[in-house]
Amino acid sequence: MNDQTPTSAERAEKLEGMGCKRKRVEDIRFVQGKGNYVDDLKLPGMLYGDFMRSPHAHARVKKIDTTKAAAVPGVVAVITAETLKTVNLAWMPTLAGDVQMVLADGKVLFQNQEVAFVIAEDRYTAADAAELVEVEYEGLPCNVDPLKAMSPNAPVIREDIKDKKEGAHGPRKHYNHVFNWQAGNKATADAAFAKADVTIKEMIVYPRVHPCPLETCQCVASFDKIRGELTLWGTFQAPHVIRTVGSLISKIPEHKIHVIAPDIGGGFGNKVGAYPGYICAIVASIVTGRPVKWVEDRIENLSTTAFARDFYMETEIAATKDGKVTGLRCNTIADHGAFDACANATKWPAGLFSIISGSYDIPAAHVSVDGVYTNKAPGGVAYRCSFRVTEAAYAIERAMDIMAQKLGMDPVEFRMKNLIRREQFPYTSAFGWVYDSGDYQTALNKAVETVGYKELRAEQKKQQEAFKRGETRNLMGIGVAFFTEIVGAGPSRNCDILGIAMFDSAEIRIHPTGSGICRLGTKSQGQGHETTYAQIIATELGIAADNIMIEEGNTDTAPYGLGTYGSRSTPVSGAATAMACRKIKAKAQMIAAYMLEVHDDDLEWDVDRFRVKGNPERFKTMTELAWAAYHEVPPGMEPGLEAVDYYDPPNFTFPFGAYICVVDVDVDTGSTKVRRFYALDDCGTRINPMIIEGQIHGGLTEAFGIAMGQEIHYDDDGNVTTASLMDYFLPTAVETPKWETDWTTTPSPHHPIGAKGVGESPNVGGVPCFSNAVNDAFGFLGSTNIPMPHDNWRTWTAADKLGLHP
Ligand code: CDP
């Protein structure tokens, strides 16, 4: 080796593999406006569809007259439920085992429900004509309060299943009941409460919110009558699932359906399920023989496509008087809206809500969730969350603060006392989850020390005294949250979607010149997959990340996968990528042994090459081996260098984090300023620290939006009062605080590269942290639970209730 020969470390650095802050390759096209989104697609002869929607939340549809709409020049067809019945598509199955009207069939069940679909030569004609569809309604009493849904005289929401005693998830106890789901052990939990020194019980409400991606839901359907083939471009987080479900619903053979998800402008769970717009566009294309585009506007997105949360969680904690938690109970009413269209793994009607024991060693616990129907839009998706983890984390983290307050203990001290200890991992929770790895005390200690927690508490005490003396009208709040996520759905023994096991996949082909392509069953919506999957391959195969093309979203070319949501890409497809690399590497090793005329076992891997043990001058680089794979493979070996891996993870991964927030609340205006927000995340092995930081920033910004202002709100008549961005709080750079990020690294023991997911974590941990901070500001005045969202009006009202206004 001469002085110019790069060292192993230098060669490794050049690869831009795992751990490198590699710049996002997809941004080259995004920042130049060269992204390719659904609405960029223009096909010859393309038509446009738009919905006529119900102004009523609950009404019988007596008559629909489409004559005037159909007569508008440029209108090609108008579709109603009657049209859809001729092809047996008036209703569609949901991912949760329910059925949902595609277009109003006999009545409407929520405001803005789809009633008729107008297809025209251009979008504006379709929209104008939709207004001319005449509908005769007969108003019905409506209910938007989930806590009243199962009262004896509640309006019947679903007449189609009114008398059904069994739903998709077991017995129904009322005509508006969807399911009851329980986990844990009620008897041991009750026993813990019977002998507890101290208990708390609080209704903790996580309001209805909406993922609100910047790009709304949309599709283009193009049916080729000659070939009998359907091509569907759309904003799909899970393209293969859409293909399979599309085939089951439409009866078009699955191999004749081509689903393509191009660039997606944010998903956050909103783009997992199937919507009436997709079905109508497909039917419209079949009927007209032309491609049909459907693009939601903002109001339609906020008021009709999948909402999130809407959980009413009566949460109880039992503890000893010195602060050891002994029991947890939670009875939840989940508002599912008019149809159960939750996007969960099939066996889990309340998702992974039983992660509610959080990061604490709680010996006895029980949860019960009742889903109910109301006159609201369907949904119940994981908005930057792993199937109801966000609700669970909010409940436990609020409840822990409420208990600490009752015990007179500091929230950090109380958490420290109850956190699962490092030596307890792998830890089995009272709900049966096996937490893979964690080092919680180290993380919380680091957080507390970095922010100067003690000093902050001392400052807060001084300020509270000054407030009592009337010297200030500001209150300082310090929020603490310690969360554990459960991501990477999932082990097929736990998780499936409509019977399809939740594995995921990667297929890698290395080309003769040593570059390659990797296709995956996941689909990035902004998470930077094109950058980070290539980094895994770079480290595993010694090929520069720049020489690997990542492709997702085309069901004709990608191996079957379940898509991207719930931070599952890294835990599942990230693992599949590493495993596929290892298959390729094993073959490359055999080729190297043949070329170097040694036994396979005499070779060792060094960054980007196999070298002969004890004789490092004799080696074959991955580039040389790629070339050899196509022209001098050992006798009997098939040529080529490619592999596919379908990875069924042995367990979920359990990322965690310690968050601390400092707020200043003006009691006279209710305005809350976030002074500091510190987020320490542990997502195991870090593939790209810069992308992780971006994920944390984005998720915290969403958490800030949710905690401080977001709510999809309905008035008593079922009108959505927050259906535009004038009323629904989407933080911009102006309102968004500065984020301080930090990390610890505790690899997952069962993941091939030790990585856990990260995308959802800041939303899961951020929301309770903000909420705890606002509540903490008022805690010393005897307030226990000010509900979210903490906007100025509600905070002012909370202060008023405490008698703080003259
Ligand atoms: O499924 P989704 O992509 O939403 O979530 P994720 O698996 O948490 O990944 C989000 C982004 O963070 C991806 O670009 C990952 O490669 C990256 N990431 C990382 O760099 N290191 C990790 N340990 C986890 C995720």
Side-chain angles (χ1 to χ4, degrees):
M1 196 156 58
N2 65 39
D3 288 348
Q4 263 79 54
T5 310
T7 62
S8 299
E10 283 164 351
R11 281 186 279 118
E13 199 183 326
K14 279 217 170 107
L15 298 176
E16 296 200 296
M18 287 194 281
C20 168
K21 294 184 181 178
R22 181 176 189 229
K23 283 195 181 156
R24 287 168 42 105
V25 291
E26 41 275 88
D27 286 353
I28 294 166
R29 63 178 189 278
F30 293 152
V31 298
Q32 296 184 71
K34 300 286 184 204
N36 179 31
Y37 297 89
V38 174
D39 207 17
D40 291 323
L41 197 66
K42 290 181 181 64
L43 298 179
M46 191 165 73
L47 300 169
Y48 298 78
D50 205 0
F51 283 111
M52 185 272 156
R53 294 176 179 274
S54 167
H56 302 285
H58 201 191
R60 211 163 290 293
V61 177
K62 308 276 281 185
K63 193 174 153 208
I64 303 178
D65 185 349
T66 59
T67 324
K68 284 189 188 150
V72 172
V75 169
V76 177
V78 183
I79 292 176
T80 64
E82 294 312 310
T83 330
L84 293 179
K85 277 181 190 167
T86 62
V87 282
N88 209 16
L89 284 175
W91 293 64
M92 62 179 187
T94 69
L95 290 179
D98 198 357
V99 286
Q100 176 179 348
M101 286 176 197
V102 175
L103 291 170
D105 184 15
K107 70 174 194 168
V108 285
L109 306 182
F110 61 93
Q111 192 183 47
N112 285 349
Q113 186 179 336
E114 301 80 0
V115 177
F117 191 65
V118 178
I119 305 123
E121 296 288 345
D122 67 85
R123 185 152 186 220
Y124 301 97
T125 306
D128 289 346
E131 289 186 12
L132 299 178
V133 176
E134 293 176 331
V135 185
E136 199 182 307
Y137 296 101
E138 179 189 301
L140 293 168
C142 101
N143 177 40
V144 290
D145 183 350
L147 302 182
K148 293 186 183 148
M150 288 201 284
S151 60
N153 299 321
V156 181
I157 312 292
R158 293 288 299 280
E159 284 167 8
D160 57 309
I161 52 168
K162 187 172 67 127
D163 300 319
K164 269 182 87 177
K165 300 284 175 244
E166 281 284 318
H169 305 288
R172 301 167 70 223
K173 54 189 175 200
H174 183 277
Y175 48 79
N176 288 333
H177 191 216
V178 189
F179 63 81
N180 174 265
W181 175 81
Q182 300 190 22
N185 186 322
K186 187 164 177 348
T188 54
D190 289 349
F193 277 82
K195 58 176 190 243
D197 298 338
V198 191
T199 60
I200 61 117
K201 180 177 188 170
E202 199 73 44
M203 176 57 99
I204 295 171
V205 179
Y206 204 135
R208 176 174 278 234
V209 293
H210 195 280
C212 197
L214 287 189
E215 179 203 34
T216 58
C217 298
Q218 38 201 276
C219 73
V220 175
S222 180
F223 187 72
D224 182 331
K225 274 195 180 149
I226 309 293
R227 294 172 191 268
E229 290 182 19
L230 171 72
T231 306
L232 186 66
W233 292 263
T235 47
F236 306 133
Q237 290 182 232
H240 280 102
V241 178
I242 292 285
R243 187 185 72 186
T244 303
V245 174
S247 173
L248 293 172
I249 296 176
S250 68
K251 307 283 182 275
I252 300 170
E254 197 168 355
H255 68 290
K256 294 201 167 190
I257 301 181
H258 316 284
V259 176
I260 301 165
D263 287 330
I264 297 185
F268 315 116
N270 187 225
K271 294 169 179 170
V272 172
Y275 295 121
Y278 305 159
I279 306 285
C280 287
I282 293 168
V283 172
S285 180
I286 293 172
V287 169
T288 62
R290 292 164 65 178
V292 176
K293 182 184 273 191
W294 168 70
V295 175
E296 263 184 338
D297 66 23
R298 180 61 59 197
I299 290 178
E300 292 175 303
N301 181 254
L302 277 172
S303 61
T304 68
T305 46
F307 76 93
R309 327 294 197 240
D310 225 347
F311 257 40
Y312 294 68
M313 304 169 285
E314 191 181 67
T315 312
E316 296 174 86
I317 290 187
T320 60
K321 56 181 174 300
D322 61 347
K324 180 78 192 79
V325 176
T326 53
L328 169 75
R329 288 191 300 220
C330 181
N331 284 311
T332 292
I333 296 287
D335 188 340
H336 283 230
F339 306 98
D340 184 11
C342 286
N344 287 317
T346 306
K347 285 183 210 129
W348 303 94
L352 304 174
F353 188 63
S354 55
I355 193 75
I356 189 170
S357 51
S359 317
Y360 309 106
D361 183 17
I362 303 178
H366 178 253
V367 295
S368 170
V369 180
D370 283 295
V372 295
Y373 291 118
T374 61
N375 290 114
K376 297 182 183 173
V381 295
Y383 166 13
R384 210 166 186 149
C385 150
S386 186
F387 309 127
R388 305 291 189 184
V389 172
T390 315
E391 291 88 327
Y394 185 63
I396 184 68
E397 287 307 293
R398 280 296 303 122
M400 287 297 280
D401 259 29
I402 293 164
M403 179 52 106
Q405 188 180 358
K406 185 157 185 183
L407 290 166
M409 279 177 83
D410 180 89
V412 167
E413 187 197 343
F414 181 50
R415 283 178 171 78
M416 274 297 185
K417 193 158 192 151
N418 288 287
L419 286 175
I420 300 161
R421 294 185 313 280
R422 187 175 24 192
E423 62 275 15
Q424 288 177 281
F425 290 93
Y427 170 84
T428 305
S429 80
F431 293 106
W433 297 117
V434 182
Y435 293 30
D436 58 351
S437 63
D439 185 355
Y440 295 173
Q441 280 82 3
T442 301
L444 187 52
N445 274 327
K446 190 174 183 191
V448 162
E449 268 159 40
T450 311
V451 299
Y453 184 74
K454 256 194 200 148
E455 292 75 15
L456 286 169
R457 282 287 175 206
E459 183 188 343
Q460 183 190 38
K461 201 158 184 22
K462 272 192 195 152
Q463 210 190 0
Q464 288 168 348
E465 280 154 13
F467 184 85
K468 282 184 185 158
R469 290 194 301 269
E471 291 164 13
T472 175
R473 298 294 288 158
N474 273 353
L475 291 176
M476 178 176 166
I478 304 169
V480 179
F482 198 103
F483 66 93
T484 294
E485 268 248 77
I486 169 168
V487 302
S492 60
R493 66 175 185 280
N494 281 328
C495 297
D496 67 88
I497 290 186
L498 302 176
I500 309 164
M502 291 186 78
F503 56 84
D504 227 293
S505 57
E507 182 205 86
I508 303 174
R509 291 183 189 171
I510 303 303
H511 308 316
T513 52
S515 63
I517 181 165
C518 174
R519 296 188 168 110
L520 304 109
T522 48
K523 175 65 206 167
S524 188
Q525 309 120 45
Q527 295 93 326
H529 289 180
E530 288 169 49
T531 307
T532 50
Y533 283 131
Q535 291 184 254
I536 298 176
I537 299 169
T539 298
E540 288 283 336
L541 286 184
I543 296 173
D546 274 349
N547 289 337
I548 301 292
M549 159 93 83
I550 301 296
E551 195 184 278
E552 300 175 302
N554 185 335
T555 55
D556 282 350
T557 53
Y560 202 100
L562 277 284
T564 290
Y565 40 84
S567 285
R568 65 186 297 280
S569 302
T570 304
V572 193
S573 270
T577 306
M579 297 308 279
C581 285
R582 289 173 195 182
K583 291 177 188 173
I584 287 173
K585 205 161 147 187
K587 183 169 180 182
Q589 184 168 359
M590 287 194 271
I591 299 172
Y594 173 69
M595 293 172 78
L596 293 163
E597 297 179 344
V598 294
H599 192 273
D600 299 1
D601 293 345
D602 293 331
L603 294 175
E604 61 186 5
W605 178 250
D606 173 39
V607 182
D608 57 355
R609 62 195 58 187
F610 282 105
R611 64 185 181 197
V612 177
K613 285 178 190 166
N615 191 357
E617 303 289 306
R618 295 195 64 222
F619 61 82
K620 289 288 169 193
T621 65
M622 214 42 210
T623 313
E624 291 170 308
L625 293 170
W627 185 257
Y630 293 88
H631 93 125
E632 65 166 319
V633 288
M637 181 187 274
E638 57 181 59
L641 200 55
E642 62 181 69
V644 61
D645 192 83
Y646 288 84
Y647 189 80
D648 182 5
N651 191 3
F652 290 90
T653 65
F654 295 75
F656 57 93
Y659 290 4
I660 297 178
C661 169
V662 184
V663 298
D664 293 296
V665 182
D666 178 337
V667 297
D668 291 325
T669 62
S671 109
T672 302
K673 286 212 169 59
V674 179
R675 196 198 300 180
R676 282 185 78 177
F677 197 104
Y678 168 91
L680 178 149
D681 277 274
D682 191 319
C683 57
T685 304
R686 291 151 54 85
I687 300 163
N688 183 327
M690 182 202 69
I691 291 222
I692 292 174
E693 196 177 16
Q695 292 285 302
I696 303 292
H697 282 197
L700 288 176
T701 305
E702 286 181 330
F704 171 69
I706 293 169
M708 308 312 276
Q710 288 182 358
E711 182 181 12
I712 296 293
H713 177 264
Y714 292 80
D715 70 14
D716 291 345
D717 296 324
N719 298 307
V720 196
T721 63
T722 50
S724 84
L725 295 184
M726 290 297 286
D727 306 299
Y728 187 75
F729 174 49
L730 203 67
T732 68
V734 177
E735 300 90 13
T736 302
K738 182 179 178 310
W739 310 118
E740 299 169 47
T741 57
D742 205 346
W743 72 93
T744 53
T745 302
T746 314
S748 166
H750 63 77
H751 188 283
I753 56 169
K756 304 181 179 185
V758 77
E760 328 290 343
S761 295
N763 201 325
V764 172
V767 174
C769 192
F770 284 114
S771 192
N772 282 349
V774 174
N775 273 283
D776 183 71
F778 291 98
F780 76 112
L781 298 166
S783 158
T784 48
N785 190 24
I786 302 169
M788 284 197 296
H790 303 294
D791 56 19
N792 292 7
W793 167 244
R794 287 179 176 88
T795 307
W796 183 91
T797 307
D800 203 52
K801 277 195 192 146
L802 289 167
L804 299 182
H805 298 142

